[in-house]
């Protein structure tokens, strides 16, 4: 076995895997560009016989709604990720310090949140009854701020890759806790920050459920919710058309190509963010995940 | 120094939290309705001002607020003694069950709430989310009683009424739609369908198949083998349990598995035969496929489904379908093959209920009552503001000049959800006599009630079985409906799976409950 060249089997397997990832995108793109009538008659195809840009034109006409949803999603994602990184790393850092008295108790607390969830109803009640954030952007940001899993990855990263002696020496040099945290720890933790940042970016960007639960005001709908809503409404109306047995309930299915065009638009930013953060990805995750 | 730094950081953190908190608080007040201002001149009756929150499934409309204001103006002027305002709270179809469940469980304020058996009415009652309505109805619902008096039974649970049925058509008809252009082209003899048997469609499908390549003779997946079959042959109790009404004595109340009847097998075989002959489209099960779109594109000839209700409908009698023609964008003929009997299920398919979290159920009932007598209020809710959202053309609703259904700001098709439908306007293109037809049709239907009309099955004891039976069915039913599976081979397999999932227990339970009901009502 030669060690220099990569095993062809691996290449083939990975190529197939990449194709399996790319082909759906290709299909979605093609349908978004296909002529609606053609799709109705012939079904989905990787190379539609007739192209048209009607779907995108239609979306431009509806641009106000989509742009606003885009704005909401972007704002929520950016604020959410920044605040979330701060909160998560602050908690993880505290937990990584052996001197911290509540270390055990808090770790257990976090572990419990990973294993058991409180359920939908208490979750809803906390945000609507105690925090009263329903129908505000806060409702989209706050629920995603801290995840037990992320805290644990970060904590492990801090314990493993930051020698306690570094903290000691910085404190001997006169740095207080906050100084140590901001000027020593954070700059050293870029890989794990980028990794967790990407996790939270993806989860904030893809989140539609919190919009569904908390947002009534159409102006605050996030992009993904707008998309999901269209799809859910269509399938719901189709299933009830017979059940409600109502002759007046007219089913209006959204145009197939428009749905696909919306999907293309919605994945945009993530496709752009991914390549830039990817290089940190492996490093951050492996270092953070291995318990040393 | 160190101490100072620490405390300043703590301070900063505190400020951050308070800013966050202030942020939510501020937004929150901005969003809460400002409509609680006192409407004047209403104090005489002693009723305090009250806002009735209406929750119903509908795509949010751009001009919701405008219409709500118009409704409130109208209420204030016409019924100052009621001293109430209304808040319209539409919820997207797709989000409906999640959202209403949460709202109900958390006790959010709701007054009037749309509900139906297919939207979890039973669970809402079981969970105690709805108020019993008998007393309220007797006191504040005279106009509801005037039209719905005889139809409350199906919405009763343990003898108490929990939902008010929308006054509308009491059943439907199923049959076959035909593309008129093609019928004329080949001068098909439609009297062949007089028998009301879908089998007689076969020669026409064959002709289309042979002479019109590129046109699907019979468009699926909306081939409602079940719908067409069950209401004509069965009194359905719960998804699989039913009473066979064909060829059995009128006092035979034996509950059977609806998939075991000969007629089901017969129709499934027919569908399969047509599929094999190439009469039915192969992509019938592709998700998102809309049969009407195929008709629109001119790629379909026949289509089995629910028909429009017209005057003088008879089994096997062809007529132009107004709604079908609008949906297909071309002239469509409809031939009813089955006319429903009065069934319990239909009565719970569209209802309004009053939520337990209502602070003033009396006022909610008063408002609901208005929807059964006040044409203007109903029109405001259903069609919006005259001149802005609709104009009247010869007594029918039309869109204002230059507007489309997308651009108009208030356009929904939920007339069937609330009130007395017979008070509604029709839209341009619909039969202007639509509601007279409904009345006539209702007489026809109510004179032919199902033999177990009024019996309500309580699924609670066999809840788990029903879920696993549903799962077992999923594997087969769609394939059978679209003709892609061979019933001789698959139906026995399906029955076996149903059995394993507890079908016998469900049927025994249905029989038990039915027998008790029959005894109570002196039928046995």
């Amino acid at each position: 076995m030669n060690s220099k060249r990569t095993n062809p089997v691996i290449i083939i397997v990975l190529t197939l895997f990449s194709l399996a990832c790319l082909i759906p995108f290709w299909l979605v793109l093609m349908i978004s560009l296909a002529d609606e009538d053609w799709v109705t008659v012939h079904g989905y195809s990787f190379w539609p016989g007739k192209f048209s840009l009607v779907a995108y034109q239609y979306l431009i006409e509806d641009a106000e709604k989509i742009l606003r949803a885009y704005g909401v999603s972007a704002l929520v994602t950016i604020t959410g990720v920044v605040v979330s990184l701060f909160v998560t790393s602050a908690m993880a850092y505290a937990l990584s310090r052996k001197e911290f008295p509540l270390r055990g108790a808090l770790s257990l607390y976090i572990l419990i949140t990973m294993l058991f969830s409180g359920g939908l109803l208490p979750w809803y009640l906390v945000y609507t009854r105690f925090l009263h954030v329903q129908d505000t952007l806060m409702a989209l940001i706050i629920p995603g701020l801290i995840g037990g899993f992320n805290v644990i990855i970060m904590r492990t990263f801090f314990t493993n890759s930051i020698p306690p002696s570094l903290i000691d020496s910085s404190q001997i040099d006169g740095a207080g806790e906050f100084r140590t945290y901001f000027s020593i720890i954070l700059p050293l933790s870029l890989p794990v920050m980028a990794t967790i940042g990407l996790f939270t970016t993806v989860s904030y960007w893809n989140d539609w459920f919190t919009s569904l639960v908390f947002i009534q005001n159409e102006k605050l709908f996030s992009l993904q919710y707008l998309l999901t809503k269209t799809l859910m409404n269509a399938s719901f109306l189709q299933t009830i058309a017979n059940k409600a047995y109502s002759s007046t309930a007219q089913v209006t299915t959204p145009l197939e190509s428009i749905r696909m065009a919306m999907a293309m638009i919605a994945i945009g930013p993530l496709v752009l963010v991914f390549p830039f953060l990817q290089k940190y990805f492996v490093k951050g995750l492996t270092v953070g995940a291995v318990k040393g | 120094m160190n101490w100072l730094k620490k405390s300043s950081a703590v301070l900063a953190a505190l400020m951050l939290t308070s800013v966050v908190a202030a942020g939510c608080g501020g937004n929150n007040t901005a969003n809460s309705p400002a409509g609680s201002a006192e409407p004047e001149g209403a104090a005489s009756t002693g009723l305090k001002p009250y806002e009735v929150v209406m929750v119903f499934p509908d795509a949010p409309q751009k001009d919701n607020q405008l219409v709500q204001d118009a409704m409130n103006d109208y209420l204030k002027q016409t019924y100052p003694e009621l001293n109430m305002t209304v808040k319209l709270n539409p919820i997207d179809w797709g989000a409906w069950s999640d959202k209403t469940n949460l709202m109900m469980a958390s006790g959010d304020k709701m007054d009037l709430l749309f509900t139906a058996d297919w939207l979890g009415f039973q669970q809402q009652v079981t969970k105690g989310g709805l108020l019993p309505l008998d007393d309220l109805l007797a006191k504040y619902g005279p106009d509801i009683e005037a039209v719905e008096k005889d139809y409350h039974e199906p919405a009763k649970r343990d003898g108490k009424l929990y939902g008010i049925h929308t006054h509308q058509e009491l059943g439907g008809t199923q049959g076959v739609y035909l593309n008129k252009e093609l019928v004329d082209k080949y001068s098909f003899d439609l009297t062949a369908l007089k028998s009301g048997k879908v089998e007689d469609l076969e020669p026409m499908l064959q002709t289309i198949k042979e002479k019109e390549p590129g046109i699907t003779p019979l468009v699926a997946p909306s081939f409602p083998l079940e719908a067409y079959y069950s209401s004509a042959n069965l009194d359905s109790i719960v998804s699989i349990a039913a009473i066979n009404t064909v060829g059995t004595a009128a006092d035979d109340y034996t509950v059977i598995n609806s998939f075991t009847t000969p007629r089901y097998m017969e129709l499934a075989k027919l569908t399969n035969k047509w599929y094999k002959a190439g009469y039915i489209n192969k992509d019938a099960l592709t998700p998102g496929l809309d049969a009407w779109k195929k008709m629109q594109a001119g790629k379909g000839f026949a289509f089995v489904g629910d028909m429009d209700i017209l005057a003088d409908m008879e089994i096997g009698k062809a007529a132009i379908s107004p709604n079908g023609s609008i949906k297909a964008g071309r002239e469509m003929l409809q031939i009813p093959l089955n006319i429903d009997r009065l069934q319990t299920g239909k009565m719970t398919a569209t209802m309004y209920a009053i939520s337990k979290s209502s602070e003033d159920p009396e006022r909610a009932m008063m408002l609901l009552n208005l929807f059964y007598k006040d044409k203007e209020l109903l029109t405001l809710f259903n069609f919006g503001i005259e001149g802005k959202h609709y104009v009247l053309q010869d007594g029918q609703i039309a869109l204002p000049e230059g507007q489309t259904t997308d651009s108009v700001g208030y356009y929904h098709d939920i007339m069937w959800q609330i009130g007395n439908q017979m008070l509604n306007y029709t839209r341009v293109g619909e039969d202007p006599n639509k509601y007279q037809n409904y009345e006539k049709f209702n007489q026809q239907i109510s004179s032919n009630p199902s033999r177990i009309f009024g019996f309500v099955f309580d699924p609670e004891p066999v809840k788990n079985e029903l879920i696993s039976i549903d799962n077992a069915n999923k594997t087969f039913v769609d394939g059978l409906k679209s003709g892609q599976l061979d019933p001789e081979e698959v139906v026995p397999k399906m029955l076996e799976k149903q059995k394993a999932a507890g079908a016998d227990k469900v049927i025994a339970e249905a029989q038990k409950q039915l027998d008790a009901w029959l005894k109570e009502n002196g039928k046995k």
Side-chain angles (χ1 to χ4, degrees):
Chain A
M1 273 310 205
N2 50 6
S3 54
K4 290 253 172 77
R5 287 180 50 205
T6 319
N7 189 337
V9 177
I10 292 178
I11 294 188
I12 291 171
V13 169
L14 289 183
T15 316
L16 287 178
F17 184 72
S18 322
L19 279 180
C21 298
L22 286 174
I23 285 174
F25 281 110
W26 175 256
L27 188 62
V28 168
L29 178 68
M30 281 300 120
I31 293 160
S32 76
L33 289 170
D35 183 75
E36 184 65 24
D37 283 342
W38 198 90
V39 175
T40 315
V41 176
H42 299 269
Y44 294 171
S45 145
F46 286 104
W47 192 254
K50 221 169 133 193
F51 286 94
S52 108
L53 283 173
V54 173
Y56 288 93
Q57 275 165 7
Y58 186 91
L59 286 187
I60 288 172
E61 272 173 33
D62 215 12
E64 200 196 321
K65 217 166 153 191
I66 294 171
L67 278 181
R68 184 181 286 122
Y70 228 109
V72 168
S73 274
L75 184 71
V76 165
T77 308
I78 292 169
T79 338
V81 169
V82 171
V83 180
S84 164
L85 277 181
F86 176 71
V87 182
T88 313
S89 64
M91 178 143 206
Y93 174 62
L95 289 179
S96 76
R97 290 283 299 273
K98 295 221 160 50
E99 306 89 301
F100 183 51
L102 291 175
R103 196 164 172 251
L106 273 183
S107 301
L108 188 70
Y109 176 68
I110 284 175
L111 200 69
I112 288 173
T113 66
M114 282 171 69
L115 297 177
F116 310 100
S117 89
L120 189 57
L121 186 62
W123 182 71
Y124 177 76
L125 286 178
V126 164
Y127 292 111
T128 55
R129 286 297 148 86
F130 298 110
L131 299 178
H132 293 287
V133 291
Q134 68 270 45
D135 246 352
T136 67
L137 285 180
M138 285 298 151
L140 297 179
I141 295 172
I142 297 177
L145 280 184
I146 261 200
F149 182 66
N150 293 346
V151 174
I152 300 233
I153 288 190
M154 269 209 194
R155 190 200 63 180
T156 319
F157 181 91
F158 290 144
T159 12
N160 288 341
S161 54
I162 295 174
S165 46
L166 188 64
I167 299 169
D168 286 345
S169 52
S170 68
Q171 287 188 338
I172 289 168
D173 285 346
E177 289 295 354
F178 286 93
R179 179 81 192 242
T180 318
Y181 173 60
F182 283 111
S183 322
I184 312 280
I185 308 296
L186 286 188
L188 282 173
S189 323
L190 268 185
V192 78
M193 294 298 252
T195 311
I196 302 298
L198 191 66
F199 282 171
T200 34
T201 312
V202 172
S203 74
Y204 270 114
W205 184 261
N206 283 345
D207 173 50
W208 54 270
F209 190 70
T210 27
S211 284
L212 181 149
V213 172
F214 293 120
I215 306 292
Q216 291 279 3
N217 183 350
E218 217 182 325
K219 290 184 177 158
L220 298 180
F221 283 167
S222 68
L223 185 63
Q224 301 294 345
Y225 180 59
L226 204 66
L227 191 68
T228 324
K229 191 172 80 107
T230 339
L231 297 179
M232 285 197 303
N233 285 351
S235 66
F236 199 81
L237 284 178
Q238 256 177 3
T239 50
I240 67 154
N242 288 328
K243 272 191 188 160
Y245 354 172
S246 171
S247 52
T248 39
Q250 280 207 7
V251 183
T252 46
T253 343
L255 305 159
E256 208 62 26
S257 44
I258 289 174
R259 281 156 60 172
M260 299 301 171
M262 277 184 84
M264 284 318 286
I265 290 176
I267 56 171
L270 276 195
V271 174
L272 294 181
V273 167
F274 224 86
F276 295 108
L277 288 182
Q278 210 188 12
K279 60 178 172 180
Y280 295 108
F281 204 69
V282 178
K283 200 173 159 200
L285 204 56
T286 44
V287 177
V290 176
K291 178 115 178 84
Chain B
M1 270 320 268
N2 212 0
W3 166 84
L4 193 70
K5 265 188 201 159
K6 260 187 204 163
S7 59
S8 68
V10 169
L11 209 71
L14 269 177
M15 269 167 66
L16 190 76
T17 9
S18 59
V19 165
V20 169
C24 337
N27 275 343
N28 215 22
T29 40
N31 279 328
S32 73
S36 47
E38 295 278 316
E40 51 311 323
S44 54
T45 52
L47 281 173
K48 276 195 219 128
Y50 186 69
E51 183 182 60
V52 182
V53 180
M54 278 177 67
V55 182
F56 52 94
D58 181 31
Q61 306 291 326
K62 218 168 35 194
D63 289 348
N64 202 40
Q65 187 66 42
L66 282 181
V67 173
Q68 184 181 312
D69 294 344
M71 282 174 79
N72 286 335
D73 280 347
Y74 178 76
L75 284 172
K76 198 167 124 189
Q77 274 163 21
T78 323
Y79 304 100
E81 72 281 3
L82 298 181
N83 200 7
M84 68 171 133
T85 52
V86 56
K87 181 168 162 45
L88 302 181
N89 190 357
I91 292 177
D92 259 305
W93 281 105
W96 174 261
S97 31
D98 283 322
K99 238 176 182 162
T100 49
N101 278 341
L102 280 176
M103 288 167 80
M104 197 166 271
S106 69
D108 281 358
K109 189 192 156 188
M110 294 189 272
D111 297 291
L112 288 173
L113 167 82
F114 180 77
T115 184
D117 51 1
W118 46 277
L119 284 178
F121 173 65
Q122 180 68 39
Q123 292 95 296
Q124 290 169 349
V125 174
T126 319
K127 279 187 200 154
L130 306 181
L131 284 180
L133 302 175
D134 306 79
D135 297 341
L136 291 171
L137 184 64
K139 262 195 220 154
Y140 305 109
D143 300 287
I144 300 173
E145 287 296 56
V147 288
E148 280 298 311
K149 199 168 182 46
D150 301 334
Y151 306 116
H152 290 317
E153 207 57 37
K156 285 193 177 164
R157 297 291 183 271
D158 288 332
K160 285 189 207 134
L161 178 67
Y162 288 98
I164 307 280
H165 181 236
T166 306
H167 187 58
Q168 58 181 355
E169 74 274 25
L170 295 173
T173 59
Q174 298 80 41
V176 57
Y177 286 98
L178 298 175
N179 183 342
K180 183 163 184 293
E181 201 184 318
L182 289 167
V183 171
D184 292 345
K185 187 170 167 190
Y186 295 100
S187 35
F188 286 132
D189 176 20
L190 296 180
T191 53
L193 284 161
K194 269 271 180 269
S195 58
K197 287 204 156 167
V198 73
E199 288 89 329
D200 297 324
L201 206 59
E202 193 162 320
M204 295 181 217
L205 301 180
Q206 195 181 350
T207 315
I208 297 291
K209 172 80 189 158
E210 279 162 12
K211 304 217 170 125
E212 295 280 348
I215 290 188
T216 311
L218 184 65
V219 181
S222 301
F223 185 40
L225 191 136
E226 275 170 325
Y228 162 57
Y229 151 77
S230 58
S231 109
N233 297 269
L234 301 169
D235 278 337
S236 181
I237 293 172
V238 66
S239 59
I240 70 159
I243 292 177
N244 188 3
T245 56
V246 173
T248 54
D251 59 350
D252 183 358
Y253 292 103
T254 317
V255 178
I256 51 158
N257 180 343
S258 54
F259 294 98
T260 56
T261 58
R263 182 65 179 157
Y264 182 82
M265 188 50 129
E266 212 177 292
L267 282 168
K269 270 192 203 160
L270 181 74
T271 319
N272 182 238
K273 182 179 151 201
W274 284 357
Y275 178 79
K276 277 193 196 140
Y279 299 162
I280 297 176
N281 45 322
K282 301 245 183 306
D283 59 352
L285 296 181
T286 311
L289 185 94
D290 184 3
W292 282 108
K293 280 253 179 69
K294 281 220 162 165
M295 304 305 276
Q296 230 173 44
K299 295 287 171 193
F301 167 64
F303 173 58
V304 181
D306 292 337
M307 316 257 91
D308 275 355
I309 293 167
L310 306 175
D312 306 320
M313 292 214 311
E314 263 173 53
I315 286 187
K317 187 173 157 191
I320 299 273
S321 160
N323 242 329
S325 302
I326 293 177
K327 279 196 250 180
R330 62 189 67 239
E331 280 208 309
M332 298 295 286
L333 289 170
Q334 64 169 41
I335 305 172
L337 299 176
N338 164 59
I339 294 178
D340 280 346
R341 278 164 302 161
L342 191 64
Q343 301 270 10
T344 312
K346 174 63 190 167
M347 301 296 113
T348 49
T350 45
M351 295 185 291
Y352 257 87
I354 296 179
S355 161
K356 194 131 211 169
S357 59
S358 170
E359 285 156 20
D360 191 346
E362 277 104 5
R363 219 78 66 87
M365 183 55 86
M366 291 179 208
L367 179 66
L368 187 61
N369 186 55
L370 290 184
F371 281 104
Y372 284 79
K373 78 164 190 196
D374 190 314
K375 180 169 181 150
E376 256 184 83
L377 185 68
L378 198 60
T379 307
L380 267 172
F381 178 72
N382 280 334
F383 302 104
I385 300 163
E386 182 164 11
K388 184 166 174 59
H389 301 127
Y390 72 91
V391 289
L392 280 178
Q393 246 174 45
D394 304 327
Q396 287 191 303
I397 301 277
L399 286 169
E401 193 73 36
Q403 295 278 25
T404 65
T405 51
D406 285 331
S407 70
V408 77
Y410 198 82
Y411 185 97
H412 53 191
D413 260 317
I414 54 167
M415 285 81 83
W416 49 275
Q417 278 185 7
I418 194 169
N420 183 350
Q421 273 219 68
M422 311 302 174
L423 297 175
N424 274 331
Y425 288 107
T426 51
R427 284 194 202 276
V428 165
E430 280 182 318
D431 185 348
N433 297 323
K434 177 171 161 188
Y435 294 111
Q436 277 104 297
N437 297 343
Y438 276 16
E439 292 286 17
K440 233 173 152 189
F441 183 71
N442 283 353
Q443 286 171 9
Q444 188 182 344
I445 287 213
S446 47
S447 66
N448 184 18
S450 141
R451 64 173 87 162
I452 52 167
F453 180 70
F455 169 63
V456 179
F457 181 68
D458 173 16
E460 203 54 32
V462 286
K463 211 170 52 185
N464 298 332
E465 282 80 7
L466 285 172
I467 293 170
S468 29
I469 289 172
D470 255 6
N471 285 334
N473 287 356
K474 260 182 208 146
T475 328
F476 305 107
V477 166
D478 288 335
L480 287 167
K481 272 197 273 188
S482 63
Q484 299 183 8
L485 296 174
D486 178 8
E488 299 222 40
E489 184 190 321
V490 166
V491 171
K493 250 193 230 164
M494 180 167 75
L495 293 176
E496 214 170 280
K497 278 228 168 157
Q498 286 176 346
K499 213 175 175 110
D504 293 339
K505 198 175 159 199
V506 174
I507 286 164
E509 178 67 31
Q511 186 76 62
K512 193 179 103 197
Q513 291 187 20
L514 182 65
D515 287 342
W517 179 82
L518 290 167
K519 211 174 231 170
E520 230 169 80
N521 288 273
K523 293 206 179 190
K524 210 174 183 179

